[in-house]
Amino acid sequence: MVDGKRGAFTRFIAKYTLARALVFTLPLLAALIALQQLIALISHQMPRSMRLLWLLPAELLYSALMLWLYCRAVRYFERRDVAELARDGAGRRAAAGIVLGAALFSVVFALLALGGHVRHAGLGSFTALPTQAAVSIAAAVGEELIFRGSIFRIAEERLGTAAALVISAVLFGLMHGANAGATPVSTAAIALEAGVLLGIAYTASRSLWLTIGLHFGWNFTEGGIFGTTVSGGQTHGLIDTALAGPPLVTGGAFGPEASIIAVAVCLTAAAAIGRWSVRKGRWRQWSAQRPDVASSLN
């Protein structure tokens, strides 16, 4: 009887795209919020000298747990191997993503400097690097599993790539709308530059390792290397940076991610990757048929 109920439930989840998206997304989102709150609470109870020793292993453990939860959900509800997190080539894809993310933000920073918007860029500190690495890893893993692994992937199966990009990008932007320094402009910028770019990167590779690496590479370079504000969060990096100029150009209190320069750079990269994806036949059209996972459960 228990197995029968489980089979009926998994078939229901497989049949309805929205139900499957919710079943994947809500537990991961709840785990993200609860675990990050717990890590922050414990950190604030520690002496500052101990936080560096605590934060990186804590965030690595959090990331491992999030990956485990996602894999368990795929195997339980979809009854398949988790190809998007395959171990074969994982390091290579993650490294490629890191390099791409770091390169894209470096271009953004260079353009800001050429435009005279970097008011100060002095030597920072190495001591904050573990903290920035920990925060960047946690954000990359948690957000990619939710927005690309769950929302984008599941929506794309039924609605096609274009619709999935719009849905996941809008939700990704809205999630960042609650951050410090957020404005309607920053919300739209996050949706356009990160939501679209990361969704198209997943389309091209069908690998969450690439998008996790790209997300990490961008955030770590932004905060850990150049020391600029990351999505409204203050950072300390190898370079101590201060930006000056109109918020539309510098991103204002939210940081360079709300800059029109970042939007232009990321959309240019997204267009190039998207064009390659179309040529390789990886861009999916809308389909009235149920996802393959539904038939596999019958």
Side-chain angles (χ1 to χ4, degrees):
M1 180 64 71
V2 173
D3 289 341
K5 289 181 178 179
R6 172 185 170 180
F9 180 60
T10 53
R11 283 193 293 273
F12 172 82
I13 295 301
K15 181 178 180 181
Y16 296 101
T17 301
L18 179 59
R20 187 153 57 99
L22 290 174
V23 162
F24 270 76
T25 303
L26 294 181
L28 286 169
L29 183 59
L32 183 154
I33 294 171
L35 292 172
Q36 286 303 311
Q37 290 286 344
L38 178 61
I39 290 171
L41 179 63
I42 294 173
S43 294
H44 289 147
Q45 303 302 317
M46 291 182 168
R48 185 176 296 273
S49 59
M50 292 295 295
R51 290 179 191 173
L52 295 177
L53 299 176
W54 152 257
L55 196 58
L56 185 56
E59 295 290 21
L60 288 173
L61 182 60
Y62 153 83
S63 299
L65 180 58
M66 292 291 286
L67 289 165
W68 179 81
L69 287 172
Y70 179 85
C71 291
R72 287 291 299 169
V74 168
R75 293 188 177 108
Y76 185 89
F77 292 111
E78 299 181 350
R79 299 186 188 178
R80 63 176 178 84
D81 291 333
V82 192
E84 61 270 31
L85 286 173
R87 294 182 182 180
D88 185 28
R92 174 171 48 82
R93 292 185 176 93
I98 292 170
V99 170
L100 178 59
L104 288 175
F105 187 80
S106 296
V107 170
V108 171
F109 190 84
L111 292 173
L112 286 169
L114 288 172
H117 300 292
V118 178
R119 186 176 63 192
H120 170 74
L123 185 63
S125 172
F126 285 92
T127 58
L129 287 182
T131 299
Q132 295 304 321
V135 172
S136 298
I137 289 169
V141 171
E143 293 175 14
E144 289 312 302
L145 293 177
I146 291 171
F147 287 95
R148 260 57 65 180
S150 300
I151 296 172
F152 177 84
R153 178 180 63 81
I154 293 170
E156 187 190 36
E157 289 176 356
R158 175 62 65 85
L159 304 175
T161 302
L165 277 174
V166 172
I167 293 168
S168 61
V170 168
L171 292 175
F172 192 62
L174 290 174
M175 188 194 78
H176 288 77
N179 290 15
T183 65
V185 172
S186 71
T187 299
I190 287 290
L192 288 171
E193 71 195 23
V196 172
L197 174 62
L198 290 164
I200 288 180
Y202 178 78
T203 296
S205 65
R206 299 296 162 188
S207 170
L208 288 173
W209 294 121
L210 179 72
T211 64
I212 288 170
L214 198 165
H215 198 145
F216 170 82
W218 172 281
N219 281 11
F220 183 72
T221 304
E222 184 177 21
I225 303 300
F226 291 108
T228 60
T229 302
V230 180
S231 299
Q234 297 298 316
T235 66
H236 301 282
L238 288 177
I239 301 173
D240 183 16
T241 301
L243 301 178
L248 188 63
V249 177
T250 65
F254 192 81
E257 288 171 336
S259 164
I260 192 171
I261 294 175
V263 173
V265 168
C266 289
L267 285 182
T268 300
I273 298 171
R275 183 180 179 185
W276 182 89
S277 299
V278 171
R279 283 179 23 221
K280 294 295 182 179
R282 299 188 179 183
W283 194 276
R284 295 179 179 175
Q285 302 300 319
W286 176 85
S287 173
Q289 300 298 317
R290 295 177 185 172
D292 293 340
V293 66
S295 60
S296 71
L297 299 178
N298 292 329

